[in-house]
Amino acid sequence: MISALLVGGAIYYLQVYGYYHEIAASAPAAEIRMTTVEGAVEPVLIEGFQGIDAESSPIRFRACFHTPQSMAMLTETYQVYEKAEPLVAPSWFSCFDAEAIGEALEQGRATAYLGEANIKYGIDRVVVVMDDGRAFAWNQINACGAVVFNGDPAPEDCPVPPPVPPKE
C-alpha cells in the first residue's frame, strides 16, 4: 500500500510539476509569432509574458501575455485559426484558464489565430487574443499530426513527416 502511494505521488508530481520549466520573458521561446494572411510568420507586440514548457511533450507549451494591438488590426493582418481547443495547464500556472479561454472563444469575446503552423511536425502554435488585450498561446496537434501520430501515412496535403530514428 505504501509503495502504491509513493509511486502514485511520484507520477502525480512528475505530471504536474516535474517536467515543466518556466520560460523567462527574455528567452527566445518568449517571442510570440503569428502567421499573416499572406503566410509570413512575424513577431507580434506583447507585454507581461509568462510562460511554461516541457521537453517531455511538444504540447505542454502555455503562455499568457497582453498585446496592445487592436482586434480589428489583428484580424485584418493575421490568419484566424478555426479549430482552437485550449489545453488545460497545470493548476499552479494560474494565468492560463483553458475553460475561460474556450468560453470566450465560443461567445465571440476572443479570436484564435495561427501562431505558427508545424512549429514542430504535426503541432501548431495557437494564439488567442481577448477583446480586452489579454492573450494566450499553446501548442495543439493539427490534422496532419493527428493522422501521423496514430501511425497512419501522412495525407497528400500534409508536409512529409521527419524520418523516425531506428530502434536500437
Side-chain angles (χ1 to χ4, degrees):
M1 181 70 112
I2 293 174
S3 300
L5 287 174
L6 289 173
V7 169
I11 291 171
Y12 172 80
Y13 175 82
L14 290 172
Q15 289 299 313
V16 176
Y17 298 100
Y19 292 111
Y20 284 100
H21 62 273
E22 290 190 44
I23 302 169
S26 60
E31 179 180 71
I32 300 297
R33 298 162 35 108
M34 291 171 50
T35 303
T36 66
V37 293
E38 293 86 22
V41 179
E42 61 184 31
V44 292
L45 297 172
I46 66 166
E47 302 164 344
F49 178 89
Q50 296 177 348
I52 58 173
D53 202 355
E55 299 300 320
S56 62
S57 171
I59 61 171
R60 287 194 174 208
F61 174 87
R62 306 286 187 284
C64 307
F65 51 96
H66 183 272
T67 183
Q69 297 170 306
S70 73
M71 290 291 281
M73 191 282 301
L74 290 167
T75 303
E76 289 176 9
T77 307
Y78 299 105
Q79 290 182 27
V80 173
Y81 195 86
E82 297 297 334
K83 297 184 181 192
E85 297 177 16
L87 302 176
V88 176
S91 60
W92 57 266
F93 191 63
S94 60
C95 70
F96 194 98
D97 182 343
E99 187 175 317
I101 296 166
E103 286 176 11
L105 285 166
E106 288 175 8
Q107 297 169 358
R109 295 181 293 111
T111 304
Y113 301 95
L114 174 59
E116 293 183 64
N118 289 301
I119 195 159
K120 294 181 180 170
Y121 184 84
I123 307 293
D124 291 341
R125 168 91 25 104
V126 179
V127 177
V128 168
V129 180
M130 304 276 211
D131 53 11
D132 63 2
R134 288 179 298 141
F136 309 91
W138 67 89
N139 291 352
Q140 176 174 312
I141 297 173
N142 62 31
C144 296
V147 171
V148 172
F149 300 155
N150 274 342
D152 297 323
E156 289 183 21
D157 60 339
C158 292
V160 176
V164 176
K167 292 185 179 184
E168 295 179 17

